[in-house]
Amino acid sequence: MPSGSHLRILLVEDNPGDARLIRELLGEAGIVSAGLCHVQRLGDAIAQLGSEPFDIALVDLSLPDSHGLETVDALLAARSDVPMVVLTGNRDESLAVQAVKQGAQDYLLKGQVTGDLLAHAIRYAIERQHMLASLRESEERFQLAMRGANDGLWDLNLQTGQVYYSPRWKGMLGYGEEELEATLEEWGQRIHPDEREATLAELNAHLENRTPHFDNVHRLRHKDGHYLWVESRGKVVTDTTGRPIRAVGTLVDITERKSAEEAVRRANRALTTLSQCNEALVRSVEEQELLSNICRLLINTGGYRLAWVCFASAGERMEAVAHAGWEPGYETLLGAQNQAGPAHPMAVAITSGTTQVIRRLENHSPHGGWQSALVQYGCHALTALPLRMGELILGALGVCACDPGAFASQEIGLMEELAGDLAYGVQTLRTRLERDQAHQALRAVLFQTIQAVALTVEKRDPYTAGHQQRVAELAAAIATDLRLDPERIEGIRLGGLVHDIGKIQVPAEILTNPGRLTDVEVGLIRCHPQVGYEIMSGVQFPWPIKEMILQHHERLDGSGYPAGLKGDQIVLEARILAVADVVEAITSHRPYRASLGHEVAMEEIASGRGTIYDAEAVDSCLRLFGEKGFRWKAA
């Protein structure tokens, strides 16, 4: 992947705000390039791709002149060699997944993208594009090599049953010219048992004139015992009367081609698995869920036999924390136990920080009990990959395959990328968990502090003790009934707990006066919203707490105080608090009067609905008391 300062990036995005955010995230991730080209239309993007070289294209699916998958198809048709990362909104996620299936390398959700995720997606897309190009070139080279190979010849006399095998035919199997018996049975016994019956049946079908020619791929046993893949082609030759007399054909050693095909298949399998696992990395919100999903995908999507993750615990003992593809009783196969004998590759991967590969478990030395057990379980190849974050080794990912010879270099390269992504995902989730736990602890302290402040205010006025708690309780219930999001409801509850904090400046004898107050005393009390606002002005909240304190006595028609605000000049939270405050005040006892009851309170807010009090807040409050049986819990 080119260095960040030399990346040539095409950004196809018609939303100026989103384009500006992507530029900022590129800078945040250290990908600062003077070569960034920003266009807003598909036509302009195609023109740029035709005139300039690019390392990566970041593409929005919704453009003024194109939408959805047609955008992806058009850009791939213009330049299929430029890797593409799709940028999409949350509602377009399924469309983005389909875009990846049609040729895009990755996708990012706009609402969740960070600098690190963007850098990771760019690196992954470029590396995946290079890997696909490498696989195609490798396949083409093997095809060229096979076309230039020498063929072995065979000639079967249908009258005598004798067969002529050319020196090249015998040489492919490791024999000299005089070492093999020239019979059809000799060839038949050398066919791999898994393919013998079908191959002989196909030959007989041609000899009986039921098929136009013989064309078969099978394995033949070499002199040293191993099997090589061959392609045998032949055709019956007739005499002048049309009577079959001979069958002649060629034999081509296609072992390298089959190995290349198998390597490509395995690499594609790993590539598909990597793509699915990256989706799991984005979606998983908990560490155990992520580890289990990755193991499951390696089995279900990748077709591997076993997959597991080990973390090192106290006493250098490994613990298998997630696994898939195994059955009860096979715990020791995972390397999660301290065992005598050769060190398990998982332990070596963790202690050395290097990938361990055993391509043929049955031939590996030194041979431990776990190796024999794995072979009996159907595993013939194993890789153990360290989960590395910089210098820190979190654990290891173990994968077993059924086919001997698995985990060639290309497949291992992709598996190592998966292990790196998994380590990054685990570390990110752990960091997020620590941050969330710290956030929850701070929030708990904030609640306790606010409750202490509210209690301090109410201690000065025993006649209204519990007023703020009851207002907070009713306001939160109204907000819940209005289906506000939980975070906003929490802010309304906190605002209710301290909405009268400004009364701390009002003399206690005024607050507790059972008689009529003078104009001066009323003026002092009416200052409490402004005083409360000033008290809280130095405190930063994630909610409009100060505005709730300042505006909870404002009214829609401008008749409230302290500023005479009207309508939407009053924040919704304060409009909800106003309804809750009035209802609580009317239904509670005061030094100068007894409780007027909730019927009077309901009549008051209903009469002012839409003129004095917020209509939706009033309707909600009426529902709570009339239909849902709301009663205060706060003392």
Side-chain angles (χ1 to χ4, degrees):
M1 172 177 172
S3 63
S5 60
H6 294 92
L7 277 182
R8 295 159 299 182
I9 301 173
L10 175 63
L11 175 60
V12 188
E13 173 59 72
D14 65 327
N15 187 310
D18 289 343
R20 184 170 56 255
L21 175 62
I22 293 299
R23 288 178 183 271
E24 293 172 356
L25 291 175
L26 288 169
E28 176 184 323
I31 304 177
V32 181
S33 172
L36 177 67
C37 177
H38 174 214
V39 297
Q40 299 183 14
R41 303 176 67 86
L42 173 63
D44 296 335
I46 292 175
Q48 290 294 332
L49 288 171
S51 61
E52 294 184 35
F54 291 96
D55 295 300
I56 187 76
L58 308 178
V59 181
D60 182 16
L61 286 180
S62 298
L63 300 173
D65 57 341
S66 179
H67 181 77
L69 298 178
E70 66 183 53
T71 304
V72 175
D73 292 339
L75 292 175
L76 289 175
R79 284 288 296 277
S80 61
D81 60 326
V82 176
M84 183 190 312
V85 174
V86 168
L87 305 172
T88 182
N90 290 344
R91 289 175 295 179
D92 293 333
E93 185 175 359
S94 61
L95 193 64
V97 172
Q98 184 61 36
V100 171
K101 293 180 180 178
Q102 293 191 200
Q105 304 300 331
D106 207 347
Y107 74 93
L108 293 171
L109 300 179
K110 289 183 179 180
Q112 301 176 11
V113 65
T114 65
D116 286 341
L117 282 177
L118 182 59
H120 175 75
I122 289 175
R123 176 177 62 83
Y124 167 74
I126 293 175
E127 290 179 354
R128 186 184 186 205
Q129 185 77 6
H130 289 170
M131 178 64 71
L132 289 172
S134 175
L135 290 174
R136 286 193 294 268
E137 292 172 1
S138 176
E139 175 66 10
E140 291 169 357
R141 285 196 296 270
F142 279 114
Q143 291 292 342
L144 288 172
M146 292 313 303
R147 284 196 290 269
N150 293 323
D151 296 351
L153 302 177
W154 55 270
D155 188 342
L156 169 62
N157 187 317
L158 296 178
Q159 306 304 312
T160 66
Q162 292 296 306
V163 185
Y164 167 76
Y165 297 119
S166 71
R168 172 61 181 158
W169 194 102
K170 295 179 180 180
M172 288 181 191
L173 300 179
Y175 291 96
E177 291 188 36
E178 306 299 327
E179 291 188 76
L180 276 179
E181 185 179 356
T183 63
L184 188 61
E185 288 73 18
E186 177 67 34
W187 169 68
Q189 290 301 314
R190 291 192 172 275
I191 301 175
H192 193 283
D194 292 348
E195 295 127 27
R196 183 176 298 148
E197 182 179 351
T199 302
L200 293 175
E202 188 171 331
L203 176 62
N204 289 329
H206 176 59
L207 295 178
E208 295 170 3
N209 200 29
R210 289 186 282 119
T211 59
H213 53 76
F214 172 67
D215 189 348
N216 184 268
V217 172
H218 54 274
R219 284 171 286 179
L220 287 180
R221 187 177 70 252
H222 192 274
K223 183 178 182 179
D224 65 11
H226 81 275
Y227 284 87
L228 52 88
W229 282 98
V230 297
E231 183 175 31
S232 185
R233 296 181 176 181
K235 187 172 179 61
V236 168
V237 178
T238 61
D239 61 15
T240 56
T241 65
R243 182 171 59 96
I245 56 174
R246 297 164 55 218
V248 297
T250 61
L251 190 77
V252 180
D253 183 351
I254 61 170
T255 303
E256 287 191 12
R257 190 184 83 189
K258 292 291 286 186
S259 297
E261 290 173 353
E262 185 63 18
V264 170
R265 184 189 68 80
R266 290 169 179 159
N268 282 333
R269 174 179 68 179
L271 194 60
T272 300
T273 306
L274 178 61
S275 177
Q276 294 285 322
C277 289
N278 277 329
E279 289 188 34
L281 284 165
V282 172
R283 295 173 182 274
S284 298
V285 296
E286 189 267 334
E287 181 177 321
Q288 188 60 50
E289 174 195 10
L290 171 61
L291 297 174
S292 297
N293 283 342
I294 295 298
C295 291
R296 177 180 52 79
L297 286 169
L298 283 165
I299 302 302
N300 296 342
T301 301
Y304 295 101
R305 186 69 176 90
L306 290 174
W308 70 102
V309 175
C310 279
F311 288 158
S313 57
E316 299 184 352
R317 176 186 175 87
M318 288 190 298
E319 179 184 1
V321 294
H323 46 76
W326 69 296
E327 299 172 1
Y330 280 85
E331 294 87 345
T332 57
L333 306 185
L334 309 182
Q337 309 285 336
N338 286 329
Q339 303 174 56
H344 197 285
M346 294 289 282
V348 178
I350 291 175
T351 55
S352 68
T354 59
T355 298
Q356 305 298 304
V357 180
I358 303 175
R359 302 191 66 196
R360 292 184 180 273
L361 278 167
E362 55 269 35
N363 298 336
H364 183 66
S365 180
H367 205 73
W370 54 268
Q371 290 164 289
S372 299
L374 280 174
V375 172
Q376 292 176 5
Y377 195 59
C379 301
H380 295 280
L382 177 149
T383 183
L385 307 113
L387 301 179
R388 177 191 291 276
M389 278 295 294
E391 297 300 316
L392 176 64
I393 306 297
L394 303 177
L397 169 65
V399 184
C400 281
C402 296
D403 41 337
F407 304 123
S409 59
Q410 289 179 330
E411 187 175 8
I412 283 296
L414 292 167
M415 297 294 285
E416 287 179 332
E417 182 171 349
L418 170 59
D421 292 345
L422 179 56
Y424 174 83
V426 169
Q427 191 67 13
T428 299
L429 288 174
R430 289 180 178 180
T431 300
R432 185 185 302 167
L433 178 62
E434 292 173 359
R435 182 193 62 204
D436 291 346
Q437 289 174 341
H439 178 70
Q440 290 299 326
L442 287 173
R443 179 164 290 194
V445 171
L446 176 63
F447 266 95
Q448 293 169 1
T449 303
I450 287 180
Q451 288 175 330
V453 170
L455 184 61
T456 300
V457 174
E458 293 188 347
K459 286 292 185 183
R460 301 183 67 250
D461 184 5
Y463 292 101
T464 59
H467 166 70
Q468 292 187 114
Q469 291 187 47
R470 289 191 292 273
V471 170
E473 185 181 338
L474 178 55
I478 293 172
T480 301
D481 183 69
L482 294 176
R483 298 185 179 181
L484 301 186
D485 66 80
E487 187 73 11
R488 200 171 186 185
I489 295 171
E490 189 173 20
I492 290 173
R493 186 187 305 277
L494 287 178
L497 287 174
V498 292
H499 73 279
D500 275 343
I501 189 175
K503 288 184 178 180
I504 200 168
Q505 184 171 290
V506 179
E509 55 271 21
I510 295 179
L511 294 175
T512 58
N513 185 359
R516 178 180 295 276
L517 299 179
T518 66
D519 291 344
V520 173
E521 290 171 334
V522 170
L524 284 173
I525 290 179
R526 286 198 166 201
C527 287
H528 79 271
Q530 182 66 44
V531 173
Y533 178 85
E534 292 170 357
I535 291 173
M536 290 295 188
S537 62
V539 183
Q540 296 298 321
F541 292 100
W543 312 281
I545 300 293
K546 296 188 290 290
E547 288 74 12
M548 287 185 251
I549 293 172
L550 181 63
Q551 300 175 8
H552 72 276
H553 279 295
E554 299 287 358
R555 299 295 181 256
L556 296 183
D557 60 358
S559 62
Y561 62 88
L565 300 179
K566 294 183 178 181
D568 290 341
Q569 291 178 317
I570 309 167
V571 298
L572 174 61
E573 287 84 350
R575 301 201 300 269
I576 291 174
L577 275 182
V579 171
D581 189 39
V582 167
V583 170
E584 199 285 332
I586 292 175
T587 58
S588 295
H589 295 283
R590 289 292 184 265
Y592 46 87
R593 61 154 175 81
S595 168
L596 300 178
H598 85 273
E599 292 184 1
V600 174
M602 297 302 105
E603 291 174 2
E604 165 60 25
I605 61 174
S607 65
R609 179 187 181 279
T611 56
I612 299 176
Y613 308 114
D614 182 88
E616 290 186 350
V618 168
D619 291 343
S620 173
C621 190
L622 293 173
R623 277 196 302 273
L624 287 172
F625 279 93
E627 300 174 14
K628 300 185 178 182
F630 175 85
R631 293 296 182 269
W632 276 288
K633 298 176 184 178

